[in-house]
Every structure is written in structure tokens, then in C-alpha cells.
Amino acid sequence: MGSCSTMARLAMALASLQTTLSPLSSSSTSLPSLSLTSTRRAIAFGSCVSLASLLPLSNPNSTPPALAQLLSDELQQEEDRIVHLFQETSPSVVFIKDIELAEVPKTSNEVMLNEDEDAKVEGTGSGFIWDKFGHIVTNYHVVAKLATDTGGLQRCKVFLVDARGNNFVREGKIVGFDPAFDLAVLKVDVGGYEIKPAILGASKDIHVGQSCFAIGNPYGYENTLTTGVISGLGREIPAPNGGAIKGAIQTDAAINSGNSGGPLIDSHGHVIGVNTATFTRKGTGVSSGVNFAIPIDTVLRSVPYLIVYGTPYANRF
């Protein structure tokens, strides 16, 4: 009886030590705590528990098979969710190329924008489908040359995907722009195609720390997904007109050249911002990981005026 009592006391001490050393959070200890509870119950009823059977519990690095499987399942579910999110939202994102023609076309018909000796790519960017009529929202600085063109040489080539997954290309016509908020609207002819407008969210409802996703075309690599979190709110960034854009969203989701104009998306697939700027390490051109998006609440106030009037609300009064 003395030996059994000693063994029981050692077992209880080991169980107590395991509870102290366990690296799992309180929300993840259901399986180990069940094991400890049953052990203590056995000791309380006078069962002589083998010390060797409790030794594995004293290893804080061991993971019970059932818990390991649970963690693996949760990881797989999270990956599947992100894959589904991208599949559902990427058809609403477009790839934009700024084209400069070698000479002004002789006809006013839509120009076949072949990238050859007659035309060169001046820059690339992203955008997203605003409505089923073919309006595309992007950054003003992505299409600034087209917006300010006086010689008739600038064109905009827009790459789209329809609701059935078919790729097609159209020339984008400038509808309106607002340099004060770095926003612009293009219009493409979508006759014969059914397109998928982006689902718009509300940036006022976002919080620092929540997940976010950027879809765009960095350095010309189409349909690129990057992930991160909302790093800050209410930031102030420079505007193309020399002013400041207030209330910008800061994120660590990678944004590089070519991402401009693309959507920042929340976990539900709703657009919460327009990716527009990144800080780069001085002299390197490498992103610092400090990136910014124009909040969708600002976009919702500006874009309808750009579509209807071609100018921002502030210019009408």
C-alpha cells in the first residue's frame, strides 16, 4: 500500500507538471485535459497507476494523434477556404496595359492593340469590374496618360474573364477620373459576354488584425493572390494631384508595381479597398511591406459621379 501511495503521489505530481508545461492554449487543451481528468479519477479511487504509463505526459513537445489530426483538418479547411475565395473573386479582377501607338490611327474604329512595332506597353496595372455594363474601377495613376492624352496616341488594353471562364480583351475608354483620390473609371464593350461584378463591402466595418487578400497583376504576372492582415487604419498617403488621401487602409499583404487599382478583399470576398501604394526601401525599389489601399467607402462616394458626370463630386459645386 505504501508503494502504491508513493506511485500515486508521483503520478499526481507529474500530472500537475504537465499542466504547467503544456504549450497548448486554453482553447486547444480539451484532449489532454480529458486524459488528466481520467488519471486523477483513477488515483482518487485507489487504483495503482503505473508511473511508466504517465511518462509521455511529461513531454511538452508531444502531440496526441487525435489532436494532430484535428489541427491538420483545420489547416486543410483554411486552405480550401482561401482557394475557394480566390476562385470566386478573381474573375472580377482585370489586367490593364497602357499602350502608346506609333501613329494616330486613320479610322475611329476600335484599334487592334497588337504589341509590336506599331505600339509599345507604357505600363501595367489592375482594376475590378464595377457593374455588368462594363465599367472598370482602377487607380488614376494607372491610366493617367490616357486621361491626359492630347495627341491621340494613348490606348488602354483591358484583359477580362467572363462568368464562364473565357478570356477576352477589349479597349478601355476613359469615363471619368479623380486625381484627388487616385481613382478612375474605364468602360469596355462587353457585348456577347457575361461578366462578374465585384461584391462591394464596407471599409468602416474592418478592424486592425483581420485577414485581407490582394488580387492583381504585379510585374505583369496575372491573377496573383497575396495575403496578409489589416495593419492600420486612418492613414494619410500622397495623392496624384499633390494633395493627401486621408483614411487609407494599411496592410502587409504584398502590393507591388502592377497591383495598383486591384481590389483588397476581406475573408467574405467583399472588396474593402483599392490597392494603390507601397513604401519601398530607399534606393532598392523593394517593397517594405507597408502597403496602402483607398477605402471602399471613399470609392462608393466617388465612382457613381465619375460614371454619370465624368468628374468628381467636388468639381460640380
Side-chain angles (χ1 to χ4, degrees):
M1 288 296 294
S3 174
C4 184
S5 175
T6 301
M7 295 291 284
R9 286 196 297 270
L10 287 172
M12 293 181 69
L14 279 173
S16 176
L17 180 62
Q18 166 64 14
T19 302
T20 302
L21 294 178
S22 175
L24 297 174
S25 65
S26 59
S27 61
S28 305
T29 54
S30 56
L31 292 175
S33 62
L34 284 174
S35 176
L36 293 176
T37 302
S38 59
T39 300
R40 291 169 182 149
R41 185 180 296 113
I43 294 171
F45 280 96
S47 301
C48 188
V49 181
S50 169
L51 179 60
S53 68
L54 291 173
L55 288 177
L57 290 176
S58 65
N59 181 3
N61 295 320
S62 63
T63 303
L67 179 57
Q69 183 61 49
L70 177 62
L71 294 174
S72 177
D73 291 345
E74 289 180 349
L75 178 61
Q76 186 62 54
Q77 290 174 4
E78 177 65 12
E79 290 181 349
D80 291 344
R81 186 184 67 81
I82 295 175
V83 169
H84 179 73
L85 179 71
F86 175 77
Q87 291 172 343
E88 288 295 310
T89 56
S90 60
S92 302
V93 183
V94 305
F95 181 25
I96 298 172
K97 285 186 178 181
D98 285 328
I99 306 291
E100 183 177 337
L101 304 178
E103 60 181 12
V104 178
K106 296 180 180 179
T107 65
S108 60
N109 294 330
E110 183 174 343
V111 180
M112 294 303 295
L113 303 175
N114 297 317
E115 297 163 32
D116 52 23
E117 65 276 3
D118 296 325
K120 64 178 180 179
V121 179
E122 289 285 295
T124 61
S126 306
F128 59 92
I129 300 172
W130 181 262
D131 57 32
K132 64 181 180 179
F133 304 108
H135 289 109
I136 307 294
V137 172
T138 186
N139 281 139
Y140 168 76
H141 75 259
V142 172
V143 295
K145 290 186 176 180
L146 177 64
T148 58
D149 178 36
T150 58
L153 295 178
Q154 298 296 325
R155 296 292 187 274
C156 189
K157 190 175 183 180
V158 182
F159 297 77
L160 307 97
V161 179
D162 70 6
R164 298 182 179 181
N166 300 309
N167 296 290
F168 65 105
V169 183
R170 289 290 185 269
E171 181 178 355
K173 305 289 188 180
I174 195 80
V175 170
F177 53 88
D178 185 0
F181 288 103
D182 200 7
L183 292 172
V185 178
L186 299 172
K187 178 74 162 58
V188 298
D189 179 10
V190 293
Y193 290 94
E194 180 184 355
I195 56 176
K196 186 176 183 180
I199 300 175
L200 306 179
S203 51
K204 65 180 177 61
D205 295 331
I206 67 175
H207 304 282
V208 172
Q210 76 176 69
S211 298
C212 61
F213 308 85
I215 302 179
N217 309 281
Y219 303 110
Y221 291 102
E222 297 181 55
N223 281 325
T224 296
L225 171 70
T226 55
T227 67
V229 298
I230 302 298
S231 305
L233 299 170
R235 305 308 194 203
E236 186 172 304
I237 59 175
N241 69 346
I245 301 173
K246 298 181 179 180
I249 301 168
Q250 180 185 337
T251 175
D252 67 349
I255 296 174
N256 292 285
S257 177
N259 272 113
S260 293
L264 185 69
I265 297 170
D266 66 12
S267 297
H268 302 289
H270 301 161
V271 178
I272 55 175
V274 179
N275 300 318
T276 189
T278 182
F279 282 154
T280 57
R281 295 186 179 92
K282 187 175 181 180
T284 66
V286 178
S287 174
S288 64
V290 181
N291 311 299
F292 300 96
I294 302 165
I296 195 64
D297 292 352
T298 299
V299 181
L300 285 165
R301 287 194 299 267
S302 180
V303 166
Y305 280 92
L306 298 183
I307 292 175
V308 175
Y309 302 112
T311 58
Y313 174 84
N315 290 3
R316 295 191 55 78
F317 300 96

